[in-house]
Amino acid sequence: MLFRFFFGCHFEGDPVMPGCLGLDALWQLIGYNLAWRGWPGKGYALGVGNVKFSGMVRPDRKLLRYEVDFTKTVRGKRLTMGVADGKMYGDGELLYETTDMKVAFSDS
């Protein structure tokens, strides 16, 4: 795994991936999906309704899986936005669960 640098410095003596990296991955997936639909612009994370952490990503995890389920999409003249619920699994165990993650696209 290339991105293991954070295990040694996030919590000294307690190697764990920062929770914000998992959340950012979910926001990135929402933005990727909007771009895949052909919607133009730069993506910006606008927020999240709720976040529940029920586990941690430690160095012994072999596989992380991210899922997003869209609850709403808006494509108008002034606003392009996706809203989705997200989950992150580590080796099949639910680690993070979110609701109402928002990503907007801007033309500039």
Side-chain angles (χ1 to χ4, degrees), residues 3-22 53 56-59 96:
F3 301 105
R4 292 183 167 231
F5 67 89
F6 48 74
F7 284 128
C9 61
H10 182 54
F11 289 124
E12 193 172 328
D14 186 16
V16 62
M17 182 177 93
C20 61
L21 291 180
F53 296 106
M56 293 182 273
V57 178
R58 296 195 177 277
Y96 301 0

Side-chain angles (χ1 to χ4, degrees), residues 47-52 71 83-86 97-102:
V48 60
N50 292 297
V51 177
K52 180 181 178 185
T71 57
V83 182
D85 298 335
E97 192 168 13
T98 68
T99 60
D100 297 326
M101 297 191 89
K102 297 173 185 70

Side-chain angles (χ1 to χ4, degrees), residues 43-98:
Y44 297 92
L46 294 180
V48 60
N50 292 297
V51 177
K52 180 181 178 185
F53 296 106
S54 55
M56 293 182 273
V57 178
R58 296 195 177 277
D60 61 340
R61 295 279 186 193
K62 302 293 184 220
L63 178 68
L64 298 179
R65 185 177 86 234
Y66 298 86
E67 296 178 358
V68 293
D69 294 311
F70 280 80
T71 57
K72 183 178 185 179
T73 56
V74 176
R75 185 167 186 209
K77 290 183 179 185
R78 302 191 67 163
L79 177 68
T80 299
M81 182 175 73
V83 182
D85 298 335
K87 294 180 181 176
M88 186 183 85
Y89 296 87
D91 298 332
E93 176 188 351
L94 180 63
L95 302 177
Y96 301 0
E97 192 168 13
T98 68

